[in-house]
Amino acid sequence: MSLSENMTRWRYKYVPDKAIGEILSKNWIDTLIPAFFLSVVLIIFGTQMPTFLSAANLSDIGRIYGEYLFIAIGLTIVMMAGGIDLSVGSTFALCNFVALSFINYMEWPIAVGMIVVVAVGAFVGLINGILIGYLRLRAFLTTLVMLIIVRAIVDMLLLDYAMIIGRGFNMSPVWEFMALGDILGLPASLMAAIAVAILAHITLTRLRFGWHVMAVGGSRRSAFNAGIKVKRTVCLTYVISGALCGLAACFYAARLSSASADVGRGLEVTILTAVVLGGISLGGGRGSVVKAALGTLIILLVQNSLIQMGFLSGNSSLILGGVLLAAVAIDVRWVKNRHKVLARAYVSPTYFKLPDLPDTSQGSDSPYALNDKLRGVEAIGLGELDGPEDMIFDRDDNMYCGSRHGDVMRIFAPDYKRVEVFAHIGGHPLGMAFDAEDNLHVCVGGMGLFKVAPDRTVTKLSDETNRSWTSIVDDSRLRLADDLDIAPDGRVFFSEATVRYEMYDWMVDALEARGNGRIICYDPKTDTSRTVVPNKQLPNGICVEFEGQSLLYAETWGCRITRYWFDGPKKGQTEVIIENLPGYPDNINRASDGTYWCALCGMRSPVFDLAQEMPGFRRRMVQAVARDDWLYPNMNTGCVIKFDRDGNILDTLWDLGGEAHPMITSIREHKGYLYLGGIYNNRVGRYPIEGADQNWTSSVSYWGKNRGGTRK
Amino acid sequence: MLKMLNQERIVGAIAVVLFIGFSIGLSGFLSGSNILSLIQNVSILGILGIGMAIGIIGRGIDLSMVSTMVISVAWMLVMVNSGVNLWLALGLAVGFAVVVGIVNGLLIAYVEVPAIFATLAMGIVVYGFGKSFLIGQDVVYLPRDESWFYHIGSGQIAGVPNPVVVFALVALVAALFLKFTKFGRYNYAVGDNVATARITGIPVRPVIVAQYVLIAVIAVVAGVVVATAVTSMNTRLALSTQVYDVILVVVLGGIGLSGGKGGVRNVIVGTLLIGILLNGMTIMNLGYTTQNIFKSVILLAAILIDTMLNPRDEQTAQHGDI
């Protein structure tokens, strides 16, 4: 191996490229943008203004921040559902007026007064909600008009009553505490706002109503089709926004007792700027309370500092408007292009060198030499099956296989003409195995490990494993459980092809050539799963050996078959038994003569092998070329090989035409026949094996003749 | 018979009824000075309305229109007062408006910010920019000069008040433009269905930019009429709710907010109704805030009816179309 090859190998082994893509794909990554702005703002004003970080200034800012935060949270909830509420400024002013007249002037009890104030805010919100939610008016214009109407009402009220309520003064200590009190050094209003923020965060991320809000904002039509009461959800968001304006007004009224006509004027633009700056998207579905809180803090600091530095109102509206425009522009572009950036950064190829391709030419003495043995194999369920990745037989010879629609199909013996849906699971059922009790175990791509009892009840066995500490993506959830086999003691060993890609993207994993997959053991005694063999290159087929102490697993992109001892003297050790296969191995199953069958789902090509040695090339390809034009491994021709326990290739079955079985992902020997399945095929093939035991079945040979019996 | 009824005709009829009603019921409504002021106000609303209509037909909206009008014309007056040649100042003011229009257009067409949002923020920016850098005082007065330019808002031609003449000219040009030029037809296509327009090969983005430039230029024309009618320009007008009166005029006249429908005739009808209404309310001595409530409720009702007549199409409603 040359020096430069070694350099490349080390470079891709030790530089964690994949971390960048994985960090970018995290949901919280959007929050970093406002957090960055916040630190910039803090540095600029912190160094430019000596009083900026003084306790008095911070305490003042804290009180205003609390009041702003209430309104920002309300607006966030509205915007998450795809709306907008510009009436907040006027609603705030109206609630301030109501608070002053009832609590200050008429000296009602604080609790009653606050309830009335919040109710007034909620009422304005309800009007908005009915107009926008139920009558489907445009949110922007409607709330703008509400802004004007409510403002006019406030102006009229102030004209008549400003002098009177200005004289009021409530001596209640609670009222004073709301204005000036501290809890643990934090102003009362801020403390209350933080409590509301936590509540809102839990609601949005954990509770049903919050999920409905997110769903409506994400896609209104889909939410409606899913049965969510869209109109009611939208309406409620405005009610919440109005009510929170009322809450903010209570604290404001307690603090300033101001009946000026300027209260809340322009507040809607300030708050809107704040939440958009925080990263709450116009149009809904994206955002969080934390982002809104960050955005509000930035705007408040900027605004406050500008006033202290003596800027005029013209300047500050220029800056505010400019920030608003910039924030929206960045947000719109980011939302639109995020997935592109992510797609480019996520695929992270690494170095992988395969030995020279073994000879497969016809007539050569290579064990892989081409032949046409699979030509004209019988087809079962032609046109009725869709994507039988694996198939298996029960004690009555009925065949079971998966389908692309998430069903487990049953095809009845003896003629295999009648097909029925045996059970519906979802996802894409892939590998299958029967246990001693005749329960069918199925690996379901996109879902996990499932069990189907003979009476068709479906049970989820596992959809998670232990999370590895160093992984940035959450690898505890199963993305692509692939194939399985069951050890004599009932433990289920199954492979997960990759932790970095979803089922529909599994082939992109080939471009990485990294060990992204693993083998997991599910123990029915404890009902838990643990990863036993991590970091394998798309581990696929799993087959427990005849002795019952070890299993064979195929690594599709690694083109090798390995033995892993899960019991016995060599427990925990692995041993490669076949290396440098001419194709990509898929499922492995036992043969009647004590050997093993393995399907190769596709054949290697020199071009792709070379590409695997050039991670830089693959990275450039992913970044510069459209997805449809990427170089993928060949998946259009395959074959079946037979090998013994030492890895000697005994036989190879080819289908040269490639019409009936372009892709063979699984094979199963049953009573003298070899059955062939393929994840993209529309049939199961049946090939008579010369000289095979006509009575041998995999399940009887493994579990014994009687149901529930112990292994021979 | 029912087919003869459309929003335009209904609104026209209501305007006539209101006019007759006010003439009989309100003393002073038919007096010469009142009619003159009515016509002035109506013309200004109408000119702005025609600009707004171009935007709304193209499924946009321009909330920065009044700010653009106020700041560009006030800046022009400031320059003239400080000795700059009138025509140069006018050219610069128009240039300023064009820049605002281009920025609006770029934000909406290329950055894809929702129009209503982009122009709301632009309104604030334009006002802030103008007050910070261009105009010192709140009210800028007309210079003492006898140029005919200063009589655009107040004089008469053959007995017809000048503002009406300007309104008529703008309306005529806009109507011809929308009906007979390629750009005008494109505007309808873009408003009707952006995606289809784009697939058909219409340069959607340039059309949208041109739309907002046009609106800004029309805003300057309206601003000149405003300033010359009252011999000053009050920059605080930018903070008022006048832009909603303009939307009211357009929507009430029957131009659907979902775009692609309506024309100059709708604006004229809407303008007449709102002009008569506003004037009547002023004579009835209703306060500014009361008038605001009236207008807003009417606008809300108009939007409500518009939503019912032109229900939003989920197929063509864009993401973020708020």
Side-chain angles (χ1 to χ4, degrees):
Chain A
M1 191 178 274
S2 72
L3 179 66
S4 70
E5 268 182 26
N6 274 323
M7 294 284 286
T8 321
R9 198 159 57 94
W10 289 333
R11 143 83 178 80
Y12 285 97
K13 192 167 178 186
Y14 295 110
V15 179
D17 301 80
K18 70 169 184 168
I20 299 166
E22 292 185 354
I23 288 172
L24 275 178
S25 67
K26 288 284 179 188
N27 272 333
W28 47 257
I29 193 74
D30 292 353
T31 316
L32 283 186
I33 302 171
F36 170 75
F37 278 122
L38 178 61
S39 47
V40 170
V41 166
L42 282 177
I43 291 169
I44 292 177
F45 291 118
T47 52
Q48 295 300 308
M49 285 170 47
T51 57
F52 182 75
L53 289 173
S54 71
N57 190 33
L58 287 185
S59 165
D60 276 358
I61 290 179
R63 279 177 210 287
I64 305 171
Y65 182 54
E67 291 154 17
Y68 274 21
L69 197 53
F70 285 119
I71 307 172
I73 292 167
L75 186 55
T76 302
I77 293 174
V78 170
M79 284 175 69
M80 298 271 259
I84 198 163
D85 189 356
L86 294 175
S87 67
V88 288
S90 297
T91 311
F92 178 77
L94 180 66
C95 291
N96 177 55
F97 177 85
V98 174
L100 287 179
S101 34
F102 286 149
I103 299 175
N104 250 14
Y105 178 65
M106 294 165 75
E107 298 197 28
W108 284 15
I110 306 288
V112 179
M114 279 179 71
I115 289 171
V116 170
V117 173
V118 171
V120 167
F123 178 71
V124 177
L126 183 65
I127 298 175
N128 278 331
I130 290 172
L131 289 173
I132 297 161
Y134 287 100
L135 298 176
R136 301 203 52 201
L137 265 56
R138 280 151 203 279
F140 207 109
L141 269 182
T142 309
T143 52
L144 258 182
V145 176
M146 278 305 284
L147 174 81
I148 300 170
I149 295 179
V150 176
R151 172 61 64 187
I153 291 172
V154 173
D155 285 347
M156 284 166 68
L157 288 171
L158 284 176
L159 212 61
D160 295 339
Y161 301 109
M163 295 298 284
I164 306 173
I165 62 167
R167 288 200 297 269
F169 186 67
N170 191 324
M171 297 290 285
S172 153
V174 179
W175 196 236
E176 194 184 317
F177 178 77
M178 279 171 66
L180 302 167
D182 287 319
I183 304 170
L184 304 173
L186 288 175
S189 68
L190 182 55
M191 219 45 192
I194 288 173
V196 169
I198 292 171
L199 202 68
H201 182 73
I202 291 172
T203 307
L204 281 175
T205 55
R206 302 286 188 278
L207 299 187
R208 180 173 303 179
F209 174 71
W211 285 29
H212 287 181
V213 167
M214 302 279 268
V216 170
S219 170
R220 197 183 158 110
R221 204 170 0 156
S222 307
F224 177 79
N225 291 343
I228 294 173
K229 292 193 168 58
V230 172
K231 293 181 173 179
R232 196 181 66 189
T233 308
V234 170
C235 178
L236 276 177
T237 59
Y238 289 94
V239 174
I240 292 172
S241 170
L244 285 174
C245 281
L247 208 53
C250 286
F251 284 96
Y252 183 82
R255 184 164 62 93
L256 290 182
S257 298
S258 158
S260 138
D262 277 337
V263 171
R265 212 173 272 276
L267 189 66
E268 61 283 344
V269 176
T270 310
I271 300 291
L272 187 62
T273 312
V275 297
V276 171
L277 189 64
I280 316 292
S281 291
L282 289 175
R286 285 177 65 258
S288 73
V289 172
V290 179
K291 289 182 195 172
L294 278 176
T296 311
L297 187 55
I298 298 172
I299 283 301
L300 183 63
L301 290 178
V302 171
Q303 214 180 30
N304 192 288
S305 309
L306 289 179
I307 293 170
Q308 287 194 20
M309 288 163 100
F311 280 100
L312 296 168
S313 74
N315 291 79
S316 51
S317 77
L318 173 63
I319 291 171
L320 205 62
V323 170
L324 182 54
L325 274 181
V328 174
I330 291 171
D331 180 64
V332 168
R333 298 319 293 179
W334 173 242
V335 169
K336 192 173 179 191
N337 295 312
R338 181 177 194 258
H339 69 280
K340 286 189 201 160
V341 176
L342 199 60
R344 290 177 54 150
Y346 192 76
V347 180
S348 148
T350 183
Y351 176 84
F352 177 57
K353 184 173 172 124
L354 279 163
D356 286 340
L357 198 57
D359 186 20
T360 57
S361 56
Q362 206 156 7
S364 66
D365 55 358
S366 155
Y368 303 116
L370 293 171
N371 56 50
D372 211 1
K373 291 183 184 173
L374 292 184
R375 161 153 298 190
V377 293
E378 211 181 321
I380 293 172
L382 182 61
E384 290 187 80
L385 302 177
D386 189 358
E389 203 265 354
D390 193 13
M391 58 269 134
I392 196 160
F393 297 83
D394 65 12
R395 289 173 190 276
D396 303 322
D397 298 334
N398 299 319
M399 181 164 75
Y400 298 81
C401 64
S403 91
R404 207 158 53 92
H405 312 286
D407 300 321
V408 173
M409 315 294 287
R410 171 153 69 177
I411 302 128
F412 288 95
D415 55 356
Y416 300 111
K417 294 257 190 277
R418 194 156 67 87
V419 180
E420 68 159 13
V421 174
F422 178 60
H424 179 80
I425 303 178
H428 189 159
L430 300 172
M432 298 179 166
F434 273 111
D435 71 0
E437 313 290 332
D438 285 352
N439 294 310
L440 181 61
H441 287 58
V442 188
C443 276
V444 183
M447 292 177 77
L449 180 64
F450 284 74
K451 180 171 87 175
V452 188
D455 66 355
R456 305 183 186 219
T457 44
V458 176
T459 321
K460 182 191 82 180
L461 295 183
S462 173
D463 61 0
E464 61 181 358
T465 177
N466 54 309
R467 194 188 192 299
S468 51
W469 289 106
T470 51
S471 168
I472 297 169
V473 289
D474 182 1
D475 64 353
S476 65
R477 303 308 280 187
L478 301 182
R479 289 186 183 221
L480 185 44
D482 197 330
D483 191 26
L484 75 162
D485 207 349
I486 303 172
D489 61 359
R491 276 181 295 168
V492 182
F493 289 91
F494 62 101
S495 58
E496 192 187 20
T498 170
V499 298
R500 273 170 56 81
Y501 293 93
E502 298 294 339
M503 173 100 191
Y504 54 84
D505 256 354
W506 69 279
M507 211 141 15
V508 181
D509 192 67
L511 300 178
E512 299 209 337
R514 186 189 295 102
N516 288 329
R518 56 197 172 172
I519 291 169
I520 299 165
C521 171
Y522 167 75
D523 192 339
K525 290 192 196 79
T526 55
D527 195 29
T528 52
S529 303
R530 307 279 309 169
T531 305
V532 289
V533 186
N535 302 334
K536 292 294 152 195
Q537 288 171 284
L538 207 94
N540 202 326
I542 298 259
C543 177
V544 174
E545 292 196 89
F546 290 93
E547 294 78 11
Q549 293 197 332
S550 57
L551 57 82
L552 298 174
Y553 65 85
E555 281 177 82
T556 299
W557 307 139
C559 301
R560 67 175 89 85
I561 293 172
T562 313
R563 174 174 292 130
Y564 166 73
W565 278 274
F566 54 84
D567 262 335
K570 289 184 163 180
K571 185 176 175 180
Q573 291 181 23
T574 57
E575 171 195 27
V576 176
I577 65 161
I578 305 178
E579 255 186 315
N580 197 24
L581 283 163
Y584 302 107
D586 205 307
N587 286 2
I588 308 174
N589 282 309
R590 292 176 291 272
S592 55
D593 54 1
T595 59
Y596 301 92
W597 295 103
C598 176
L600 304 189
C601 58
M603 304 311 289
R604 280 160 58 186
S605 68
V607 176
F608 196 75
D609 283 359
L610 184 64
Q612 295 289 66
E613 294 170 33
M614 301 160 70
F617 158 73
R618 278 175 287 143
R619 172 181 293 277
R620 286 195 300 281
M621 172 181 80
V622 167
Q623 295 187 345
V625 179
R627 201 182 171 88
D628 287 356
D629 295 332
W630 289 354
L631 180 66
Y632 285 110
N634 158 40
M635 285 287 151
N636 295 324
T637 44
C639 67
V640 178
I641 57 168
K642 193 179 189 188
F643 61 94
D644 64 14
R645 55 166 293 116
D646 300 320
N648 300 311
I649 307 297
L650 306 172
D651 198 3
T652 309
L653 312 176
W654 289 89
D655 174 21
L656 288 187
E659 280 166 23
H661 294 280
M663 185 182 184
I664 304 172
T665 55
S666 186
I667 61 284
R668 184 83 64 180
E669 185 177 340
H670 187 78
K671 296 200 167 169
Y673 286 99
L674 188 67
Y675 294 83
L676 312 161
I679 195 168
Y680 296 138
N681 293 354
N682 59 354
R683 70 190 85 191
V684 167
R686 180 155 107 145
Y687 168 75
I689 311 166
E690 259 176 66
D693 180 352
Q694 295 296 316
N695 291 312
W696 186 89
T697 71
S698 178
S699 133
V700 171
S701 86
Y702 192 72
W703 296 114
K705 275 206 166 45
N706 303 313
R707 182 175 169 187
T710 45
R711 240 172 71 84
K712 287 185 279 190
Chain B
M1 181 63 195
L2 266 177
K3 284 207 166 167
M4 301 284 288
L5 278 179
N6 58 23
Q7 199 175 343
E8 186 190 323
R9 290 193 182 145
I10 296 170
V11 170
I14 294 174
V16 171
V17 171
L18 263 184
F19 185 81
I20 297 171
F22 282 159
S23 311
I24 299 169
L26 294 174
S27 60
F29 181 78
L30 267 182
S31 73
S33 64
N34 184 55
I35 292 294
L36 195 68
S37 94
L38 189 156
I39 280 173
Q40 258 174 11
N41 283 327
V42 160
S43 305
I44 291 159
L45 263 188
I47 297 169
L48 287 170
I50 282 173
M52 187 68 86
I54 291 173
I56 290 181
I57 288 170
R59 201 194 287 191
I61 200 162
D62 192 348
L63 298 184
S64 67
M65 210 177 172
V66 173
S67 285
T68 311
M69 165 184 103
V70 167
I71 295 303
S72 56
V73 172
W75 184 41
M76 179 187 89
L77 295 182
V78 168
M79 283 190 289
V80 174
N81 281 336
S82 64
V84 178
N85 176 288
L86 172 65
W87 303 111
L88 177 64
L90 180 65
L92 285 173
V94 171
F96 175 78
V98 167
V99 170
V100 172
I102 288 176
V103 174
N104 269 334
L106 290 180
L107 282 171
I108 294 159
Y110 289 87
V111 186
E112 294 170 16
V113 178
I116 195 160
F117 197 91
T119 52
L120 178 82
M122 263 316 268
I124 300 167
V125 170
V126 168
Y127 175 75
F129 179 79
K131 290 296 286 178
S132 312
F133 298 111
L134 307 178
I135 305 146
Q137 64 273 50
D138 269 357
V139 182
V140 189
Y141 291 96
L142 233 57
R144 297 186 180 283
D145 194 325
E146 284 306 307
S147 164
W148 61 268
F149 187 81
Y150 300 110
H151 296 291
I152 289 176
S154 51
Q156 294 183 345
I157 296 174
V160 183
N162 280 342
V164 179
V165 176
V166 178
F167 177 30
L169 273 177
V170 172
L172 183 68
V173 171
L176 292 176
F177 178 75
L178 282 174
K179 269 224 155 62
F180 296 112
T181 65
K182 199 154 74 174
F183 169 87
R185 302 317 301 170
Y186 281 176
N187 200 26
Y188 278 96
V190 170
D192 204 33
N193 189 333
V194 183
T196 312
R198 183 168 223 155
I199 301 168
T200 319
I202 291 173
V204 170
R205 286 174 158 171
V207 167
I208 293 175
V209 175
Q211 203 178 329
Y212 287 94
V213 172
L214 207 61
I215 296 174
V217 171
I218 291 176
V220 177
V221 175
V224 169
V225 177
V226 171
T228 50
V230 296
T231 68
S232 69
M233 181 53 103
N234 187 344
T235 55
R236 295 194 75 80
L237 201 58
L239 303 174
S240 72
T241 55
Q242 197 186 10
V243 73
Y244 306 111
D245 294 355
V246 179
I247 297 174
L248 184 56
V249 159
V250 175
V251 175
L252 216 53
I255 298 182
L257 283 170
S258 46
K261 298 195 187 85
V264 170
R265 264 212 329 257
N266 299 70
V267 182
I268 296 174
V269 175
T271 312
L272 284 178
L273 177 62
I274 292 304
I276 293 168
L277 202 67
L278 290 183
N279 191 271
M281 287 200 294
T282 309
I283 293 178
M284 282 190 276
N285 209 12
L286 294 181
Y288 174 71
T289 48
T290 322
Q291 288 197 21
N292 260 350
I293 293 181
F294 260 104
K295 283 187 293 188
S296 309
V297 171
I298 294 172
L299 179 54
L300 214 50
I303 299 173
L304 188 62
I305 294 167
D306 173 62
T307 311
M308 287 171 176
L309 291 180
N310 309 305
R312 283 174 71 185
D313 185 353
E314 293 286 355
Q315 300 302 324
T316 54
Q318 292 162 305
H319 185 69
D321 205 1
I322 46 179

